[in-house]
Amino acid sequence: MSGKELLALSDSITSEEIQDWLAYQISAQIGIDADEIDIQAPFDTYGLNSMQAMNISSLGKKHLGINFSPLAIWNYPNIASLSKYLVEELESSESETFEI
């Protein structure tokens, strides 16, 4: 299990962890080093196509436990804004789970 997969095992995931995970996933999809990914740069800067967005979305569910539509990559213009949205969605779903 890689360090990127361990995020799914933590109790709560931070925005920074999601940013790192997204940068890693994008770098893997487009074939560059994750350190070259700017979390403020628009996703279209990296030339992601719809299949790559679907892969990232699918991996998000598998490794982070976050179910998000590939369309979120186009609705939130960069890693910083998408990770903030995903943390909010995760916190919202966790609070709903604990309500009786």
Side-chain angles (χ1 to χ4, degrees):
M1 184 179 302
S2 75
K4 301 300 177 195
E5 294 174 29
L6 291 176
L7 291 178
L9 302 177
S10 65
D11 290 335
S12 62
I13 300 172
T14 67
S15 181
E16 291 79 19
E17 289 171 324
I18 293 174
Q19 289 171 6
D20 290 345
W21 184 86
L22 285 167
Y24 175 82
Q25 295 306 318
I26 291 170
S27 71
Q29 293 291 321
I30 64 173
I32 65 171
D33 192 282
D35 292 336
E36 296 179 44
I37 303 290
D38 177 359
I39 65 167
Q40 298 295 336
F43 284 116
D44 60 3
T45 300
Y46 301 108
L48 288 175
N49 63 36
S50 58
M51 182 58 96
Q52 292 165 322
M54 289 181 1
N55 287 339
I56 292 169
S57 173
S58 176
L59 291 168
K61 174 64 175 171
K62 181 177 178 183
H63 296 294
L64 300 175
I66 301 172
N67 191 18
F68 68 96
S69 167
L71 294 176
I73 291 177
W74 281 273
N75 292 334
Y76 295 88
N78 56 38
I79 290 174
S81 62
L82 178 58
S83 65
K84 182 179 177 187
Y85 162 75
L86 293 175
V87 165
E88 290 169 358
E89 287 297 303
L90 186 60
E91 289 171 353
S92 173
S93 69
E94 286 176 353
S95 67
E96 290 173 8
T97 301
F98 293 113
E99 289 179 7
I100 298 178

